[in-house]
Amino acid sequence: MKACQEKYQGSDDPIFKERAVLIKEERADLVKHHLWVLWTDYFKPEHVEKYPDLHEKFWKATKAAGDSKKSVDPSQGQQLLDAVDEISKIFWETKAA
């Protein structure tokens, strides 16, 4: 998202900007899909016990992905990256266990 938002901001070409928005929105939907798959298919009740804020992290990341569809601000894209990174850390901690 962030890269698409940055490319959008850096261009004066209206056709390029339109394509950047389409790609950004498509990727935002993919992020939401992958978050949902992780939440429903990978994480188990014992993970939530160990990481009590896991549900909140997923909620925030999913909301940030939805916000990415509406925004061309790279700082918003960074918020999404940060939210996904928090979940990624927990994922890899549970994978290693």
Side-chain angles (χ1 to χ4, degrees):
M1 256 37 83
K2 182 181 176 187
C4 289
Q5 291 161 329
E6 289 171 338
K7 288 180 181 186
Y8 176 92
Q9 294 296 339
S11 179
D12 292 330
D13 180 348
I15 294 171
F16 180 85
K17 286 183 142 193
E18 182 179 337
R19 289 185 64 225
V21 167
L22 290 172
I23 292 167
K24 175 187 63 71
E25 290 178 356
E26 184 178 86
R27 300 273 164 84
D29 282 335
L30 283 172
V31 170
K32 289 169 76 172
H33 169 76
H34 289 294
L35 286 168
W36 183 248
V37 168
L38 265 178
W39 183 241
T40 59
D41 293 353
Y42 175 75
F43 285 103
K44 307 286 185 251
E46 57 267 19
H47 297 132
V48 177
E49 286 178 25
K50 186 173 180 180
Y51 303 94
D53 61 343
L54 190 57
H55 178 78
E56 180 75 14
K57 289 183 185 301
F58 269 93
W59 186 83
K60 284 182 179 179
T62 304
K63 294 299 273 181
D67 290 344
S68 290
K69 288 182 75 170
K70 300 179 255 180
S71 176
V72 291
D73 180 0
S75 68
Q76 190 286 320
Q78 185 61 52
Q79 291 174 15
L80 174 59
L81 287 172
D82 294 343
V84 169
D85 190 46
E86 288 183 30
I87 294 168
S88 174
K89 288 175 187 171
I90 294 171
F91 172 81
W92 288 110
E93 286 175 14
T94 61
K95 265 312 235 197

